[in-house]
Amino acid sequence: MQTLDSLAALIHDNRQLLGITRQGYDLWIDSGTIEPGSNRETERGLHFCDYRYRLALSIDAMHGHRGGLLLAMLHNWETSLSREVRADLDEPQIITSTATKNRGGRILQVEYTLDVRDGIYLTRDSNGPVQAIGDRWTFGEHTLNIAEAISLTSEVRT
């Protein structure tokens, strides 16, 4: 799922900045549903269906003074998501609790959940495993032929 992968990359790439270890966080799909797609062919392929799911992130131990940075990063990431991914879905939920206090400050536990929708796109393939709308389809690169030039000819009839 594209959105899950995108959030995983954000957290992984910023672990040191956030002060968390690879073992200190987990990211998963909590639950999901499949919704019909538009069955329109676009540059991405045939919009066959959408996978609507709840994305969950749990951070076990993060220094409290880095909480604001995490919130800013999550907000920036959320606003970068396409309208398709977030349209008509609930706002994200963030729950923080203090796990411990030490000389360096508070250690937080953070739980973040967000509803998202990822489109499932297919491409024509005569040997593909999915049969829909009179053709066979599979995942893969999609080629959409679009005319770059057009010429019109006509006759004038009287």
Side-chain angles (χ1 to χ4, degrees):
M1 307 290 63
Q2 303 104 332
T3 309
L4 175 74
D5 293 344
S6 168
L7 181 56
L10 175 74
I11 299 300
H12 181 270
D13 294 348
N14 291 286
R15 294 188 323 267
Q16 290 181 335
L17 190 60
L18 293 169
I20 55 178
T21 65
R22 174 58 196 108
Q23 295 76 26
Y25 73 94
D26 196 9
L27 184 62
W28 68 95
I29 295 173
D30 192 32
S31 61
T33 59
I34 297 173
E35 299 175 345
S38 66
N39 281 341
R40 289 193 197 125
E41 202 165 349
T42 70
E43 65 277 353
R44 295 176 67 191
L46 175 74
H47 181 208
F48 187 64
C49 62
D50 288 327
Y51 182 44
R52 181 176 173 167
Y53 59 96
R54 179 162 285 268
L55 186 65
L57 168 68
S58 175
I59 300 174
D60 292 331
M62 185 177 79
H63 289 281
H65 68 279
R66 296 186 180 170
L69 176 61
L70 175 65
L71 295 177
M73 291 171 71
L74 290 173
H75 176 71
N76 186 55
W77 174 78
E78 288 168 20
T79 58
S80 74
L81 296 174
S82 72
R83 182 171 288 165
E84 283 179 356
V85 172
R86 290 287 301 136
D88 305 323
L89 300 175
D90 292 336
E91 292 301 312
Q93 300 292 314
I94 300 174
I95 300 170
T96 59
S97 58
T98 302
T100 60
K101 290 183 184 180
N102 64 20
R103 287 180 278 147
R106 293 181 179 185
I107 304 297
L108 301 177
Q109 288 183 323
V110 179
E111 293 180 25
Y112 169 80
T113 57
L114 175 71
D115 290 335
V116 297
R117 180 184 296 114
D118 283 337
I120 306 294
Y121 292 85
L122 303 176
T123 188
R124 282 189 206 311
D125 180 350
S126 58
N127 296 318
V130 178
Q131 185 167 354
I133 59 172
D135 217 337
R136 297 200 69 80
W137 304 83
T138 192
F139 292 100
E141 294 296 317
H142 183 75
T143 303
L144 181 63
N145 296 319
I146 299 174
E148 293 181 11
I150 187 169
S151 66
L152 295 174
T153 58
S154 66
E155 294 178 13
V156 177
R157 294 185 185 171
T158 57

